[in-house]
């Protein structure tokens, strides 16, 4: 794998039973890119994301991630190098905002003192005040939950951040604010982002490259 390529798909196929979802997909993602995957529902966008994260395994072809074939990775080790943001953050409801923020840090064996410093450092970046730290997710607004989820995803300095329709459940103003926030984070850290979105305008705001999919194939990459 080229030193600048962090993800490579080579003739990757995937099916759910008899239903073919991905058909001989080949593409690369370079370090520091912000890729938006677009296309109609069912075209394979989220499936591609799950393959990157090792939640599912391809039926055919090869996937290389961070310099290794995906089958050579212990999945727990690979996932510790990634952040994952879902709708409204997909927070653990039984954990406070602070505990959610620290979750990936603790998985990566950082101690409490470092976790506290790191969260304090990142709170201004995601426009959150300390008063949210002791609140549980059901006491937060949708925008706050998503900001907590974004902070959790970047706190351990992952090499790749995956985002699956992260803003689709939010109102237009909150969505625009979070788009600006994520763009600022990408510019600051140059972390590689791969994001699924149905919103073409959102993709144009965020992406350094848009990969458009249809019927399990890549039809354009611009």
């Amino acid at each position: 794998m080229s030193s600048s390529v962090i993800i490579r798909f080579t003739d990757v196929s995937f099916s759910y039973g008899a239903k073919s979802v991905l058909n001989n997909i080949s593409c690369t993602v370079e370090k520091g890119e912000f890729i938006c995957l677009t296309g109609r529902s069912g075209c394979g966008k989220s499936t591609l994301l799950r393959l990157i994260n090792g939640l599912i395994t391809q039926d055919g072809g090869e996937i290389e991630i961070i310099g290794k074939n995906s089958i050579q990775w212990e999945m727990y080790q690979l996932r510790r190098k990634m952040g994952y943001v879902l709708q409204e953050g997909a927070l653990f409801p039984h954990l406070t905002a602070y505990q959610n923020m620290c979750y990936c840090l603790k998985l990566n064996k950082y101690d409490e003192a470092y976790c506290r410093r790191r969260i304090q450092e990142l709170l201004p970046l995601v426009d959150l005040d300390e008063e949210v730290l002791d609140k549980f997710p059901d006491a937060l607004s949708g925008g706050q939950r998503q900001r907590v989820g974004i902070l959790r995803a970047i706190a351990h300095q992952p090499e790749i951040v995956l985002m699956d329709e992260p803003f689709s459940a939010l109102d237009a103003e909150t969505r625009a604010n979070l788009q600006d926030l994520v763009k600022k984070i990408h510019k600051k850290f140059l972390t590689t982002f791969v994001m699924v979105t149905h919103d073409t305008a959102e993709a144009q705001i965020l992406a350094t490259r848009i990969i458009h999919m249809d019927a399990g194939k890549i039809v354009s990459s611009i």
Side-chain angles (χ1 to χ4, degrees), residues 113-129:
Y114 178 86
C115 291
R116 180 66 63 174
R117 289 196 306 271
R118 181 66 172 159
I119 298 310
Q120 293 287 348
E121 173 189 332
L122 291 175
L123 279 175
L125 183 64
V126 296
D127 298 326
L128 285 175
D129 298 321

Side-chain angles (χ1 to χ4, degrees), residues 140-161:
L140 303 175
S141 69
Q144 287 174 324
R145 287 193 292 270
Q146 195 59 284
R147 290 171 194 274
V148 171
I150 291 168
L151 194 156
R152 179 179 64 187
I154 65 171
H156 61 298
Q157 302 178 75
E159 296 194 45
I160 300 168
V161 175

Side-chain angles (χ1 to χ4, degrees), residues 12-196:
V12 172
S13 297
F14 181 82
S15 298
Y16 286 109
K19 180 178 173 55
S20 178
V21 180
L22 295 178
N23 302 297
N24 298 317
I25 291 282
S26 293
C27 66
T28 59
V29 175
E30 297 196 1
K31 290 181 180 178
E33 281 197 287
F34 197 125
I35 300 296
C36 280
L37 303 172
T38 64
R40 294 177 294 181
S41 295
C43 70
K45 306 185 300 298
S46 293
T47 298
L48 193 150
L49 214 64
R50 293 185 188 108
L51 285 167
I52 295 172
N53 199 42
L55 293 171
I56 54 177
T57 303
Q58 72 270 26
D59 299 324
E62 293 188 351
I63 303 172
E64 297 171 76
I65 304 173
I66 315 175
K68 291 168 63 174
N69 192 299
S70 60
I71 63 174
Q72 296 176 317
W73 279 104
E74 293 286 350
M75 281 298 107
Y76 75 92
Q77 292 178 335
L78 177 60
R79 289 174 188 149
R80 288 177 182 176
K81 294 180 177 292
M82 296 185 185
Y84 212 152
V85 184
L86 301 169
Q87 288 187 15
E88 294 201 20
L91 304 181
F92 300 111
H94 62 291
L95 300 181
T96 65
Y98 174 74
Q99 291 168 331
N100 270 284
M101 292 171 185
C102 291
Y103 186 78
C104 293
L105 287 167
K106 293 294 180 68
L107 286 180
N108 281 274
K109 310 299 183 184
Y110 290 104
D111 63 28
E112 176 60 26
Y114 178 86
C115 291
R116 180 66 63 174
R117 289 196 306 271
R118 181 66 172 159
I119 298 310
Q120 293 287 348
E121 173 189 332
L122 291 175
L123 279 175
L125 183 64
V126 296
D127 298 326
L128 285 175
D129 298 321
E130 289 188 26
E131 65 182 20
V132 308
L133 294 179
D134 294 328
K135 294 182 178 180
F136 288 90
D138 62 1
L140 303 175
S141 69
Q144 287 174 324
R145 287 193 292 270
Q146 195 59 284
R147 290 171 194 274
V148 171
I150 291 168
L151 194 156
R152 179 179 64 187
I154 65 171
H156 61 298
Q157 302 178 75
E159 296 194 45
I160 300 168
V161 175
L162 305 176
M163 307 181 82
D164 196 354
E165 296 279 1
F167 310 137
S168 60
L170 302 173
D171 64 83
E173 182 179 359
T174 303
R175 185 171 188 155
N177 289 338
L178 286 170
Q179 289 167 353
D180 289 342
L181 172 68
V182 169
K183 193 166 187 176
K184 180 172 67 175
I185 289 170
H186 178 251
K187 184 177 181 180
K188 180 177 177 65
F189 295 116
L190 292 179
T191 304
T192 305
F193 279 74
V194 183
M195 174 176 166
V196 168

